[in-house]
Amino acid sequence: MERLRLPSPVDGRLEEAKEDARLLQQWETVANTVDDPSLPSVRIAVVGKYTGLRDSYLSIEKALQHAAIATRQHLQAVFLESSSPSLLASLQEGDFHALLVPGGFGTRGLDGKVGAIRWARESKIPFLGICLGMQAAVIEYARSVLGRSAATSTEFVSPSAPALMEGKEDVVIFMPEGDKARMGGTMRLGARTTLLQPHSLVHRLYAEHLGAGGREAEEGGGGGGGVLEVDERHRHRYEVNPDVVSDLEAAGLRFVGKDRTGQRMEILELGETTEERRNGRQGHPFFAAVQFHPEFKSRPTAPSPLFLGLLRAASRERERRARGEKGSQGAKERVAPSMDEG
Ligand SMILES: NC(=O)CC[C@H](N)C(=O)O
């Protein structure tokens, strides 16, 4: 056995027993945290249009739960209907510590999602957007900050409507390799690689998980220089229009995760605005959105780095309110540097 370098069955059993004990210990920690009545509650608003069918957001709720356990908080996820006329009032009065806008399809409720994201961005409430949630964040920024009030996604433009003015309004477009005439089989599905720029919030979060969720990118493969590669699961037909990226970046959005071609935007963060930098004001505590679905890879003992980031920011927000502070400025440990540092 030694000559052939085979593991001894005794060693193997010992290793197995150690691993079993480690997993049991992890699981006990999870169970004890869920049952601990002394932990504070964290209130997360989830704004979507499938709220009548709770199972639609099951993986979102589970991923939030995993991150709440890891940050020792009791999760109160509140699902709000995105087409409700009272959505904004519910958000303003709901004492929420964070907002999550998950994936979805079709136009109903889009303006509600855009309004909710605007509220979170302007009131400096931690925000995570997923898939359609990221596309809605781009639409919101283009409408509110670039002043393109008609900004939208090609998904929401009826084929019979006149072409969008100068193509400036379709800030989210159909992916070129898809077949516009046929929906079946045109979705970009499954695990795809995203390269994460250093000096970004998401890079730091994934780097913590290096080994589990990320690996150093190789020089020459579009990576190198501290770039991290992560594989996350996708499910979409539309993407950020590469033609509007430079305008959005000049206005303060940072696209810190892209595919290997550099043409497909996978992750955005909010950098400091020029005005914030000039006045030495703190930027947004946590504003990130991703084209993929991080919830699908979250596990009870290994929460998704993005959900973890959101729940940590939500916890800081709760503590800040408990201290009676107004506005998020000064509340946090800021991680996203200004755009030109990235
Ligand atoms: N999963 C999603 O959120 C999909 C977003 C959007 N409807 C698209 O197809 O690109």
Side-chain angles (χ1 to χ4, degrees):
M1 235 161 26
E2 223 178 280
R3 188 172 53 82
L4 296 175
R5 296 204 183 123
L6 294 174
S8 120
V10 177
D11 287 354
R13 276 205 295 274
L14 235 160
E15 283 311 309
E16 241 173 62
K18 271 194 210 156
E19 179 60 5
D20 286 353
R22 195 184 60 83
L23 289 175
L24 189 62
Q25 169 69 50
Q26 268 189 348
W27 196 253
E28 270 174 19
T29 311
V30 166
N32 291 340
T33 311
V34 172
D35 289 341
D36 186 344
S38 69
L39 297 182
S41 291
V42 63
R43 285 176 59 75
I44 314 287
V46 181
V47 171
K49 74 170 182 180
Y50 311 117
T51 47
L53 192 60
R54 192 65 177 262
D55 277 7
S56 315
Y57 297 123
L58 199 59
S59 36
I60 294 284
E61 195 170 0
K62 294 291 175 197
L64 284 170
Q65 179 77 61
H66 304 158
I69 292 168
T71 52
R72 301 190 50 73
Q73 308 180 80
H74 276 304
L75 176 69
Q76 284 182 9
V78 180
F79 291 81
L80 299 171
E81 169 56 55
S82 48
S83 52
S84 158
S86 56
L87 173 64
L88 207 55
S90 306
L91 288 169
Q92 285 162 344
E93 290 154 22
D95 193 27
F96 293 112
H97 306 119
L99 167 71
L100 192 148
V101 178
F105 293 82
T107 188
R108 182 170 65 81
L110 175 77
D111 287 340
K113 291 172 197 175
V114 167
I117 296 169
R118 182 173 191 174
W119 163 77
R121 184 175 58 77
E122 292 182 343
S123 336
K124 296 199 158 84
I125 304 293
F127 162 71
L128 178 62
I130 293 178
C131 208
L132 184 60
M134 166 167 162
Q135 298 171 359
V138 166
I139 293 171
E140 190 279 314
Y141 213 73
R143 286 184 187 174
S144 318
V145 182
L146 296 184
R148 297 184 190 170
S149 55
T152 189
S153 163
T154 319
E155 181 178 3
F156 311 128
V157 180
S158 121
S160 57
L164 290 169
M165 283 173 294
E166 298 168 17
K168 286 272 189 187
E169 272 68 27
D170 40 354
V171 293
V172 177
I173 55 166
F174 195 79
M175 281 181 287
E177 62 265 49
D179 176 349
K180 265 193 191 185
R182 233 173 7 102
M183 280 302 181
T186 57
M187 189 110 74
R188 181 170 178 249
L189 282 174
R192 308 286 170 132
T193 300
T194 297
L195 303 184
L196 306 180
Q197 286 309 309
H199 311 299
S200 62
L201 170 71
V202 287
H203 185 282
R204 206 175 92 160
L205 288 169
Y206 275 94
E208 253 184 59
H209 285 242
L210 191 66
R215 56 188 183 269
E216 285 279 347
E218 309 218 334
E219 295 279 357
V227 171
L228 272 186
E229 279 186 18
V230 292
D231 293 331
E232 290 280 15
R233 289 166 62 182
H234 291 69
R235 187 178 154 73
H236 65 124
R237 286 194 184 88
Y238 298 85
E239 64 176 347
V240 177
N241 184 349
D243 291 347
V244 296
V245 165
S246 56
D247 288 353
L248 290 166
E249 289 206 318
L253 272 195
R254 304 176 72 216
F255 290 94
V256 293
K258 297 179 189 172
D259 75 342
R260 285 190 195 287
T261 68
Q263 288 299 298
R264 184 154 284 149
M265 303 305 125
E266 295 278 9
I267 308 177
L268 66 80
E269 287 178 13
L270 192 58
E272 269 165 349
T273 62
T274 329
E275 193 249 311
E276 278 161 354
R277 209 171 321 156
R278 199 179 304 127
N279 299 330
R281 290 218 342 257
Q282 296 269 17
H284 199 288
F286 187 97
F287 189 99
V290 292
Q291 187 56 74
F292 48 79
H293 290 268
E295 69 275 22
F296 292 153
K297 286 179 79 171
S298 183
R299 296 291 177 267
T301 53
S304 154
L306 290 155
F307 281 79
L308 200 56
L310 182 75
L311 269 282
R312 281 183 190 153
S315 149
R316 290 196 294 269
E317 177 64 19
R318 190 195 51 249
E319 285 161 13
R320 185 189 64 72
R321 281 185 211 169
R323 291 194 300 271
E325 288 172 29
K326 278 207 190 104
S328 250
Q329 289 93 324
K332 55 135 205 196
E333 187 208 317
R334 221 183 104 70
V335 276
S338 59
M339 278 176 13
D340 43 16
E341 286 169 63

